[in-house]
Amino acid sequence: MDRLLTALRAPVFIGAGVMAVYVLQTGSTVLYGFRLSELGMAVFVLPVCVAAVICAKRPVLAVAVASVAAGVGTVYARAYHVYPPAWLSPLTPAETVAFLVIIVTVVFSGETGAAIFELGLLCASATFALLFRETSLIFSLERRLSFALDVAVVAVAVLLGIYLRARDGIRRRALATAVTDAQRAERVELARELHDVVAHHVTGMVVQAQAALTVADNDPLAAHRLLPGIVNSGTDALAAMRRLVGTLRESEPLYTATTDLDADVRAAVDRAQQAGVPVRLTMRLPAVVPQEVGRSVLRLVQESLTNVHKHANDPTLVAVELTTGSDALRLMVRDDGKGGRVTPVGGSGGYGLVGMRERVELLGGLFSAGEVAGGWQVLAELPLKGEAR
């Protein structure tokens, strides 16, 4: 049915089919002997075939041309006693195929009111042909059977058009839903990237600036030593924002992690240490880490260290452990804070844990986070094999 939907929108397919029937019909007339008046009938059939071809683009014009051409052809046939072959209707095979194509197309693509009016014109033209092209008596059994067959054929064409219309509606709604889901996923990914990357760098700037303000009066040199870290965090934040803008302009990919997870994690830890957080890193990675897993692990480490900056109560050590199991990569980030959570400057958006959980669950992994002995612990296990959800 999907191919039929495609064909209804492609006049070349309709034209090929209808004209093939027209050529066969006309060719048989020429091969098996004909009168000039019988060949003249083909002149009135041709516009009906053309109407079927243009129906997808100009349905009103197509219905008018087909109805008038079939009506004039009926008058011509009656006047010159031409009795062309009929198939499923009083019309010729080419006219019948063309009429059916037009009916299906009109029902499929037209407005309800216009489709009913156009169907009425086509049925009136076919009924006119039934009354004046047939040689049997008007109320004979043969004429009544022919009328019943015509009604059945038209009904099948109408039902087919209704079915195709419904199927096309379902397909359009499914496409719209898919587009909406894709846009929503893209917005969520951008929001997650803003939170995980940009907020990470900005938090580092704020923490280091606060530390500089605290020690500036007693130790100006210590405050001066914190300035390069603030500059680096600001530079990284600007670079991340530029990448996000580039993504929105569809000029570059969203993710910025490299293929070297070891180097990426160490760089994230170094930035945290520059901000004044003592981090102990333990890392045992497999030889090959899938790219999606590597990105997610890096974001988890960055977000966990950002949360330590923002929320941990006077921590003296943050342990970051990356270990490899039989088929999974395990991450633990734990601080030894004194209990309670610090409210950061500017408040907290509250989406950090949600974003981390989403990342892990999308890869089919396990995630947990909570207080442990006064500090905070993040645990994640990401499968190294298998498909993401």
Side-chain angles (χ1 to χ4, degrees), residues 281-329:
L281 176 62
T282 304
M283 189 160 44
R284 294 188 297 274
L285 297 176
V288 178
V289 178
Q291 190 175 12
E292 291 296 328
V293 174
R295 288 191 192 122
S296 295
V297 167
L298 175 60
R299 297 300 184 242
L300 291 173
V301 171
Q302 289 176 330
E303 177 61 22
S304 298
L305 294 176
T306 298
N307 285 341
V308 172
H309 278 306
K310 294 164 65 176
H311 301 291
N313 186 8
D314 203 15
T316 60
L317 181 65
V318 181
V320 177
E321 297 182 4
L322 265 172
T323 57
T324 305
S326 58
D327 56 357
L329 190 61

Side-chain angles (χ1 to χ4, degrees), residues 364-384:
L366 302 174
F367 177 84
S368 65
E371 285 195 41
V372 176
W376 189 268
Q377 178 176 273
V378 172
L379 293 174
E381 184 174 291
L382 295 92
L384 294 173

Side-chain angles (χ1 to χ4, degrees), residues 160-211:
L160 178 59
I162 293 173
Y163 172 76
L164 292 176
R165 187 187 187 108
R167 187 178 181 89
D168 187 61
I170 293 173
R171 189 168 68 171
R172 287 176 182 272
R173 287 191 293 272
L175 179 60
T177 301
V179 171
T180 301
D181 290 344
Q183 291 173 339
R184 184 183 298 112
E186 186 178 45
R187 288 196 298 270
V188 170
E189 191 60 44
L190 286 170
R192 186 184 297 140
E193 193 76 0
L194 277 170
H195 185 279
D196 293 354
V197 179
V198 179
H200 169 78
H201 297 308
V202 173
T203 299
M205 294 169 59
V206 171
V207 171
Q208 293 177 87
Q210 287 176 324

Side-chain angles (χ1 to χ4, degrees), residues 2 4 23 28-29 39 50 70 119 139 170 176 218 250 254 273 287 297 319 333 359 367 372:
D2 290 338
L4 184 55
V23 169
S28 62
T29 301
L39 188 60
V50 173
L119 282 175
F139 297 105
I170 293 173
N218 299 325
E250 299 180 351
L254 177 64
Q273 290 175 332
V297 167
V333 181
R359 284 187 182 278
F367 177 84
V372 176

Side-chain angles (χ1 to χ4, degrees), residues 39-364:
L39 188 60
M41 186 66 189
V43 176
F44 298 101
V45 175
L46 184 59
V48 181
C49 298
V50 173
V53 177
I54 67 172
C55 186
K57 301 294 184 182
R58 305 289 295 274
V60 176
L61 178 61
V63 169
V65 170
S67 300
V68 171
V72 173
T74 298
V75 173
Y76 177 86
R78 185 74 175 186
Y80 289 94
H81 304 287
V82 177
Y83 304 104
W87 178 64
L88 296 178
S89 77
L91 303 173
T92 65
E95 288 176 309
T96 300
V97 172
F99 263 57
L100 292 178
V101 169
I102 295 172
I103 290 173
V104 172
T105 305
V106 164
V107 175
F108 165 67
S109 60
E111 298 292 335
T112 303
I116 292 174
F117 177 74
E118 291 161 359
L119 282 175
L121 287 178
L122 293 171
C123 290
S125 180
T127 302
F128 183 68
L130 175 66
L131 293 175
F132 295 101
R133 289 194 191 186
E134 296 281 349
T135 56
S136 58
L137 297 176
I138 293 179
F139 297 105
S140 65
L141 178 61
E142 181 182 353
R143 190 71 68 93
R144 285 181 297 201
L145 289 175
S146 179
F147 179 77
L149 179 62
D150 296 344
V151 171
V153 170
V154 171
V156 169
V158 171
L159 291 175
L160 178 59
I162 293 173
Y163 172 76
L164 292 176
R165 187 187 187 108
R167 187 178 181 89
D168 187 61
I170 293 173
R171 189 168 68 171
R172 287 176 182 272
R173 287 191 293 272
L175 179 60
T177 301
V179 171
T180 301
D181 290 344
Q183 291 173 339
R184 184 183 298 112
E186 186 178 45
R187 288 196 298 270
V188 170
E189 191 60 44
L190 286 170
R192 186 184 297 140
E193 193 76 0
L194 277 170
H195 185 279
D196 293 354
V197 179
V198 179
H200 169 78
H201 297 308
V202 173
T203 299
M205 294 169 59
V206 171
V207 171
Q208 293 177 87
Q210 287 176 324
L213 287 174
T214 301
V215 303
D217 293 336
N218 299 325
D219 190 354
L221 291 178
H224 182 77
R225 287 194 294 270
L226 291 171
L227 292 178
I230 297 175
V231 172
N232 291 335
S233 295
T235 302
D236 291 340
L238 285 174
M241 286 299 297
R242 290 192 185 99
R243 285 192 291 268
L244 286 172
V245 171
T247 299
L248 292 173
R249 292 177 176 272
E250 299 180 351
S251 62
E252 55 184 80
L254 177 64
Y255 293 108
T256 58
T258 71
T259 56
D260 189 346
L261 179 59
D262 184 286
D264 288 339
V265 171
R266 292 186 186 279
V269 169
D270 288 343
R271 284 193 294 269
Q273 290 175 332
Q274 290 174 8
V277 177
V279 181
R280 184 188 66 202
L281 176 62
T282 304
M283 189 160 44
R284 294 188 297 274
L285 297 176
V288 178
V289 178
Q291 190 175 12
E292 291 296 328
V293 174
R295 288 191 192 122
S296 295
V297 167
L298 175 60
R299 297 300 184 242
L300 291 173
V301 171
Q302 289 176 330
E303 177 61 22
S304 298
L305 294 176
T306 298
N307 285 341
V308 172
H309 278 306
K310 294 164 65 176
H311 301 291
N313 186 8
D314 203 15
T316 60
L317 181 65
V318 181
V320 177
E321 297 182 4
L322 265 172
T323 57
T324 305
S326 58
D327 56 357
L329 190 61
R330 298 185 179 90
L331 169 67
M332 185 197 75
V333 181
R334 180 175 177 178
D335 67 77
D336 61 351
K338 297 179 180 179
R341 307 295 285 168
V342 177
T343 301
V345 177
S348 175
Y351 298 110
L353 292 177
V354 173
M356 286 194 286
R357 187 179 299 277
E358 286 178 350
R359 284 187 182 278
V360 174
E361 291 181 350
L362 283 173
L363 294 174

